[in-house]
Amino acid sequence: MSENEEEYYSDERWQNWLDRLRDEDLDPEEEDSARLLLNLQDDVAIAVAKIVTDYQDGDLDEEETMDELATIRDTVLAEPDIADEDTLMLVDGVQTSLVAVFYSAEQYVADGVADETSVEEYVQAAAAAEDEEDFDRALGLAACAGTRIIDGDDLPMELADDLEYGLVVEWVNGLDSLQSALAQPEVVEEDE
């Protein structure tokens, strides 16, 4: 366990969010439920953004950064212990969105910024790959878009409006949280 682990994100923090979700009567059509799920997603994205920022600032080397990202990824993407099927499905949606956040950060650290094209074109190529059911390629392209966002490029959210709902739209949703986290890395309070 590294000395920074608690600084970024902890299993306890994630479990506190899950406990709160278990206690709520979630309805994604209701503003309070939607906000709670978005806060959960943003909270994780903020932790990832802090790790990447510390890497950029030289506070973490590549190995430490990858270890920190893996620790959070393993915690957040583990199968949650939630009995209610509807709540489980909503948490799964948040986890799906965060997959692109983790892959983007890891790709950024391992390979740098993907610079072959723009954020929009990477997202459109990811959607095309998803249409062809090449999900690995789609995720890779979404992660390329994410590396550009980490580097400071903007993700126009209207881009998602033109896409058919699926994994890429979920991933773009996660990348939007990452973009917000990089712009304003404020901790989301669990009791909000």
Side-chain angles (χ1 to χ4, degrees), residues 6-183:
E6 291 301 313
E7 175 186 339
Y8 296 114
Y9 210 81
S10 66
D11 181 64
E12 180 182 0
R13 187 167 181 90
W14 176 249
Q15 292 305 322
N16 287 343
W17 278 106
L18 294 183
D19 289 345
R20 176 135 184 238
L21 293 173
R22 281 185 205 98
D23 295 341
E24 295 283 329
D25 184 20
L26 293 176
D27 178 354
E29 301 298 318
E30 289 184 12
E31 185 178 337
D32 287 346
S33 293
R35 186 180 312 116
L36 179 61
L37 292 164
L38 183 60
N39 284 347
L40 167 63
Q41 181 173 304
D42 287 350
D43 193 45
V44 175
I46 288 166
V48 171
K50 286 181 177 180
I51 292 169
V52 170
T53 299
D54 282 354
Y55 170 72
Q56 291 169 328
D57 293 345
D59 296 332
L60 294 173
D61 65 24
E62 182 176 335
E63 183 179 348
E64 291 169 323
T65 304
M66 293 300 251
D67 287 347
E68 294 292 348
L69 291 169
T71 298
I72 296 175
R73 184 188 69 234
D74 292 347
T75 296
V76 170
L77 298 184
E79 184 72 33
D81 181 20
I82 296 176
D84 182 73
E85 288 295 319
D86 292 336
T87 302
L88 187 60
M89 185 179 72
L90 293 170
V91 172
D92 182 65
V94 170
Q95 290 173 312
T96 300
S97 294
L98 290 167
V99 166
V101 173
F102 292 120
Y103 275 85
S104 296
E106 290 166 354
Q107 185 171 323
Y108 176 83
V109 173
D111 302 323
V113 179
D115 58 4
E116 292 176 20
T117 191
S118 67
V119 170
E120 295 92 332
E121 289 173 347
Y122 276 125
V123 169
Q124 290 162 349
E130 181 182 13
D131 288 344
E132 295 170 6
E133 298 186 9
D134 189 348
F135 301 111
D136 289 340
R137 179 166 167 68
L139 179 56
L141 290 162
C144 287
T147 66
R148 295 195 63 85
I149 292 165
I150 292 169
D151 195 49
D153 287 2
D154 285 331
L155 171 68
M157 276 312 289
E158 62 273 4
L159 187 62
D161 297 339
D162 298 332
L163 301 176
E164 187 174 325
Y165 185 78
L167 288 173
V168 172
V169 170
E170 293 275 5
W171 295 333
V172 166
N173 186 0
L175 294 178
D176 182 52
S177 287
L178 179 61
Q179 178 172 266
S180 297
L182 290 162

